[in-house]
């Protein structure tokens, strides 16, 4: 039987949910207008005032917020509350520019932890469970979000953070961890390490895992589920909106329910900004309805996505989003072809390569090149050059079929690609573009 953390909200009839969104949006727009001069100037430039926003139907009138705005307003320019009212700060890694700072009042933290608690309960967590939080702690939102959610559910929480893989596995065994929270690439690495230690799914008590913070395919999910002997659940979030828990998977594993009492999701055309009809594929945009300290309206995530409004078998009424299919800003365009790393991963996993890989893009003599370096698993490792050549050709054919372009494939020895205990570095783009 499906369990809910906040059943009256998670199963709220959609007409009531829409009325709640209308009410909260009107209040939030007024809050932003009164307290965030940066965004007020954007509204004035578009000729919009709070009086123009009567509900969700008017959302399209508001200007977008982008990551460029967050950098322009760095560090405090988008705060909606005075510093004295804020209790927490989190930040993105800043790998593509200035760090993005996000601020929280205590109320913001409480609501965020509720969202993460919903995700944990949907994955089967109760007060009887031991939750091992192996996301990074600190400025990264992963550890703090699931940690707080675990407390709300009443789980015994292990704040182990990422890394030290042997200790992770030892704690799973000694403390009888039943829920694992980490990135999918680290979950796969834990499974790989267990196998090397001679351990299998029956040697650990895990029953479920909540994996997010990076893209992963359905094939990777199945591999993790088989290796760890668990049910693997997806979770989605952004530091800019709070962190993990913006949406989460239920037992149906058929899309992630957006916590619509806190976030409005839209799908837009990434080129024109036009809102697209229900069921369309496009760029995901979120409006935060309840954030006090960092209230973003119409934030462009750059994630390519679809929303599903069909009823879900779990009984939750909140809209479901699919796994992001790539990004509108870092999608690879190779020789004029749109390439998503998830497509490449699907081909690799379909051919049995569930280990580490890297995608290397370069430009030689004004022509784009694509190389995929793939680790062989210990079971398939061979120094027979003819066999390696045959396997590489199979992958080249598979990638050509999936992508419509040719790629060089290099099969390399196990453990020869550097492991990451945080977000896996999958793509190296050497082009000067």
């Amino acid at each position: 039987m499906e369990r809910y953390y906040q059943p009256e909200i998670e199963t709220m009839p959609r007409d009531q949910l829409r009325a709640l969104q209308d009410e909260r949006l009107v209040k939030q727009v007024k809050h932003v207008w009164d307290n965030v001069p940066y965004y007020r100037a954007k509204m004035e430039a578009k000729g919009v005032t709070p009086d123009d926003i009567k509900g969700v139907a008017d959302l399209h009138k508001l200007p977008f917020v982008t990551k460029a705005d967050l950098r322009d307003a760095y560090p405090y320019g988008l705060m909606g509350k005075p510093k004295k009212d804020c209790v927490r700060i989190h930040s993105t890694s800043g790998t593509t520019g200035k760090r993005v700072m996000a601020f929280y009042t205590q109320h913001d933290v409480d609501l965020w932890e509720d969202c993460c608690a919903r995700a944990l309960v949907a994955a089967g967590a109760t007060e009887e469970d031991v939750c091992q939080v192996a996301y990074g702690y600190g400025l990264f939102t992963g550890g703090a979000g699931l940690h707080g959610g675990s407390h709300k559910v009443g789980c015994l929480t292990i704040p182990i953070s990422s890394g030290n893989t042997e200790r992770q596995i030892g704690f799973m065994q000694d403390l009888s961890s039943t829920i694992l929270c980490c990135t999918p690439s680290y979950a796969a690495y834990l499974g790989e390490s267990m196998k090397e230690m001679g351990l299998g799914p029956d040697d650990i008590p895990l029953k479920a895992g909540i994996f997010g913070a990076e893209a992963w395919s359905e094939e990777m999910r199945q591999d993790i589920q088989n290796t760890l002997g668990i049910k693997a659940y997806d979770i989605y979030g952004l530091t800019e909106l709070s962190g993990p828990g913006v949406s989460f998977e239920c037992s149906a594993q058929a899309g992630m329910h957006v916590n619509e009492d806190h976030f409005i999701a839209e799908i837009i055309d990434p080129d024109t900004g036009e809102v697209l009809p229900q069921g369309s594929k496009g760029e995901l945009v979120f409006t935060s309805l309840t954030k006090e300290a960092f209230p973003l309206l119409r934030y462009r995530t750059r994630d390519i996505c679809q929303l599903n409004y069909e009823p879900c078998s779990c009984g939750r009424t909140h809209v479901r989003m699919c796994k992001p299919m790539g990004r509108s800003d870092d999608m690879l365009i190779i020789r004029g072809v749109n390439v998503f790393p998830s497509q490449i991963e699907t081909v690799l996993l379909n051919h049995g390569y569930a280990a580490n890989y890297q995608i290397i893009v370069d430009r030689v003599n004004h022509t784009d090149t694509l190389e995929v370096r793939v680790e062989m698993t210990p079971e398939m490792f061979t120094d027979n050059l003819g066999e390696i050549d045959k396997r590489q050709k199979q992958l080249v054919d598979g990638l050509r079929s999936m992508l419509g372009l040719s790629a060089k494939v290099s099969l390399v020895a196990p453990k020869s690609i550097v492991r990451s205990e945080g977000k896996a570095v999958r793509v190296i783009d050497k082009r000067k573009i």
Side-chain angles (χ1 to χ4, degrees), residues 142-351:
L146 272 302
H147 178 103
S150 177
H151 278 212
K152 287 280 183 92
V153 175
C155 301
L156 177 59
T157 308
I158 307 174
I160 196 167
S161 194
S162 58
N164 202 330
T165 300
E166 284 192 19
R167 184 179 67 179
Q168 298 270 2
I169 295 167
F171 270 36
M172 283 180 203
Q173 295 179 302
D174 297 344
L175 300 177
S176 299
S177 306
T178 51
I179 310 283
L180 173 65
C181 303
C182 63
T183 62
S185 61
Y186 193 53
Y189 185 43
L190 283 168
E192 193 179 291
S193 300
M194 279 177 48
K195 201 180 290 184
E196 290 175 359
M197 294 164 69
L199 301 174
D202 294 340
D203 296 305
I204 55 170
L206 286 182
K207 67 179 185 182
I210 296 180
F211 308 127
E214 64 188 17
W216 54 310
S217 62
E218 194 60 34
E219 291 83 0
M220 188 173 185
R221 183 215 298 272
Q222 296 304 326
D223 182 65
I224 291 170
Q225 290 188 153
N226 294 335
T227 306
L228 295 179
I230 62 173
K231 192 161 182 176
Y233 294 81
D234 207 349
I235 190 168
Y236 176 88
L238 305 106
T239 299
E240 298 91 321
L241 294 172
S242 64
V246 172
S247 66
F248 61 91
E249 270 189 329
C250 63
S251 58
Q253 291 181 312
M256 292 174 277
H257 289 279
V258 176
N259 283 311
E260 287 190 278
D261 52 324
H262 298 298
F263 307 100
I264 301 174
E266 301 174 272
I267 297 291
I268 65 165
D269 182 314
D271 297 322
T272 67
E274 175 192 2
V275 179
L276 298 175
Q278 282 192 11
S280 300
K281 182 170 85 171
E283 183 182 334
L284 185 60
V285 172
F286 276 115
T287 292
S288 176
L289 292 171
T290 51
K291 277 292 288 281
E292 296 177 330
F294 203 61
L296 296 187
L297 306 182
R298 303 199 81 200
Y299 179 67
R300 294 187 61 163
T301 67
R302 301 294 182 181
D303 283 325
I304 301 298
C305 194
Q306 281 176 300
L307 299 177
N308 182 358
Y309 289 87
E310 294 295 317
C312 183
S313 61
C314 77
R316 291 177 179 82
T317 54
H318 295 209
V319 69
R320 284 170 288 161
M321 58 175 277
C322 70
K323 283 179 179 288
M325 303 168 181
R327 291 179 59 81
S328 64
D329 55 353
D330 66 4
M331 172 182 69
L332 294 166
I333 301 178
I334 302 172
R335 301 197 289 276
V337 177
N338 293 345
V339 175
F340 294 110
S342 58
Q343 294 174 297
I344 294 174
E345 178 175 288
T346 294
V347 173
L348 300 181
L349 289 167
N350 283 343
H351 283 79

